Amino acid sequence: MTAIAEEEETKESALWDKAGGWNGVLAAVGILALTRVGQLIMIAWLGGATDQPRTVWERLLVWDAGWFLRVAVDGYPEGYTYSDTGQLEGNELAFFPVYPILIRAGAAIGIEPRSAALGVAWLASIAAAIALHLLGTSLYSKRAGWALVAICFTAPASVVLSMAYSESLFIALVAGMFVAAHRRVWWAAGLLGLATALTRPTGAAAALGLAVAALLALRDGDRPKWKPLAAAAAALAGVPLYLGWVAYRVGELDAWFKIQTAGWGTSFDYGESTGKFLWTTLREGDGWIPLSVAFILLAALVAAGVALAGKPWPPLVVYGVVAMILVYGQAGFYHSKPRLLLPVLLTLLPAVVAAARARPRVAVLSIAAWALFGLYYGAYLVTVWPYTL
């Protein structure tokens, strides 16, 4: 850490001690509320112009929300699921357990399951806004913390942060894990890392990022050494634990992977399908959504390259690079990839740093323009676009 960075961190700590940090958190939650309300208004407006008469509430409970709710209400199936013709199908075992557990906890205290699913997602969004602000503040500055919240919550696929999906919970956990690791609060980093890894399969990438943070702590001479190592071990155990449990329940070692492939065409093909999608779409230009997804995928790659050139905190680099390899390297629905990229914070860093350094008016206008596009894009996807996110 440079002398300038140390001085900046000292100043930030002093401000926090004077309750300025809490004011910053409240501002971050205010940004979150503004983005969510704005997008819900857009969903209501666009939904009224379609031939699918659904309320805003119903539109927030579509697609993967049904899978999470079935896990929460009925539990996981005992094994594989087959069609009437004997073909293997996807089932609820593909979905990691933390989000359904929280939905079930809400239902256990008397909340209707669908309300519990959205309630958990919305509360997780608040936690995500706070964690993102703290992460941006810890790594850069308070303005960067606010920018990170605003840019993340208005990204093109950010509509899922208002839906009964696990993205808001995952972002809250992964950002909170990195905040705890950066501040060397290892017990919290380990618990959050384990929960992250049991929320989505990309939690494996987050666990690797935490392992790098632990190694940096050991290099810097942190004592006792077992604390960062234990935190990393807890996070690294998460994904293998769930995959192993599925294997035990079904009776086949690769059961989770077979279920994913059968249900959603998800398999790791080293980017072949992504490359074919980009090549075909950019040549033929079949529809504005496929074209926009192609440009989003390319823009994310460029943003990641710019971020890496700025030499950000290594744990965030490792997490971001591994997560992007998983997104770009796997086959599956191309229109889900912007959603899968949403928690990859590395791609947001160039815009966050630029906004933090720009004049306030320029930063606000730039983020507002980004927000108008991103919020409209997400509202369009859940009202007009007929396919899953």
Side-chain angles (χ1 to χ4, degrees):
M1 183 179 292
T2 66
I4 295 176
E6 290 177 351
E7 182 179 353
E8 183 68 23
E9 186 175 58
T10 301
K11 290 179 180 178
E12 291 289 343
S13 298
L15 288 172
W16 185 273
D17 292 338
K18 293 178 181 179
W22 295 114
N23 292 334
V25 164
L26 290 176
V29 174
I31 292 170
L32 158 70
L34 186 63
T35 66
R36 297 305 89 199
V37 170
Q39 189 159 64
L40 291 178
I41 292 172
M42 290 182 180
I43 292 172
W45 172 56
L46 286 173
T50 68
D51 57 358
Q52 302 174 23
R54 288 180 177 175
T55 65
V56 173
W57 181 266
E58 290 170 331
R59 292 184 185 281
L60 300 180
L61 287 161
V62 295
W63 302 316
D64 283 4
W67 292 99
F68 286 119
L69 280 165
R70 284 190 288 275
V71 174
V73 174
D74 302 324
Y76 285 107
E78 294 294 332
Y80 289 132
T81 300
Y82 296 92
S83 67
D84 293 337
T85 60
Q87 186 174 359
L88 182 65
E89 295 180 330
N91 66 21
E92 290 79 2
L93 287 168
F95 294 85
F96 278 49
V98 171
Y99 182 44
I101 287 172
L102 294 176
I103 297 172
R104 176 171 286 201
I109 60 175
I111 303 173
E112 192 272 328
R114 295 188 305 167
S115 299
L118 287 177
V120 169
W122 293 348
L123 289 173
S125 289
I126 296 173
I130 295 171
L132 287 172
H133 171 67
L134 294 176
L135 181 61
T137 300
S138 297
L139 296 178
Y140 299 105
S141 67
K142 187 178 292 186
R143 284 183 60 188
W146 290 328
L148 183 55
V149 174
I151 292 170
C152 179
F153 275 83
T154 56
S158 62
V159 65
V160 295
L161 302 178
S162 294
M163 299 173 68
Y165 272 55
S166 62
E167 268 73 17
S168 58
L169 179 61
F170 183 82
I171 291 174
L173 291 169
V174 74
M177 180 197 76
F178 280 128
V179 170
H182 191 264
R183 300 185 178 190
R184 307 295 173 87
V185 186
W186 294 112
W187 66 268
L191 289 176
L192 291 169
L194 177 60
T196 299
L198 291 174
T199 300
R200 296 189 61 81
T202 43
L208 290 174
L210 182 57
V212 172
L215 292 176
L216 291 177
L218 295 180
R219 183 200 65 183
D220 295 339
D222 277 25
R223 295 289 189 275
K225 292 184 177 181
W226 67 267
K227 287 187 176 181
L229 292 175
L236 290 168
V239 170
L241 277 175
Y242 182 67
L243 299 185
W245 177 79
V246 173
Y248 174 77
R249 190 175 183 87
V250 175
E252 288 191 23
L253 190 61
D254 59 347
W256 185 85
F257 299 96
K258 287 183 176 179
I259 292 168
Q260 277 280 356
T261 301
W264 296 269
T266 304
S267 61
F268 196 80
D269 63 359
Y270 301 93
E272 180 181 354
S273 60
T274 302
K276 286 182 178 178
F277 163 72
L278 290 172
W279 176 255
T280 302
T281 302
L282 294 174
R283 288 184 64 196
E284 299 177 0
D286 184 19
W288 82 274
I289 290 295
L291 268 174
S292 64
V293 171
F295 282 117
I296 287 170
L297 293 177
L298 293 175
L301 286 174
V302 173
V306 174
L308 292 174
K311 298 182 180 179
W313 190 43
L316 209 58
V317 169
V318 171
Y319 161 61
V321 169
V322 174
M324 290 186 74
I325 289 172
L326 293 176
V327 172
Y328 286 85
Q330 70 179 18
F333 299 134
Y334 71 86
H335 36 80
S336 294
K337 290 189 183 294
R339 169 176 66 88
L340 300 176
L341 284 173
L342 182 63
V344 183
L345 306 177
L346 181 68
T347 60
L348 306 179
L349 292 185
V352 168
V353 173
R357 293 174 178 173
R359 292 196 300 271
R361 184 177 179 181
V362 174
V364 169
L365 289 175
S366 300
I367 292 175
W370 162 264
L372 284 174
F373 166 72
L375 295 177
Y376 174 83
Y377 189 92
Y380 183 92
L381 290 178
V382 298
T383 54
V384 181
W385 178 249
Y387 303 110
T388 184
L389 287 179

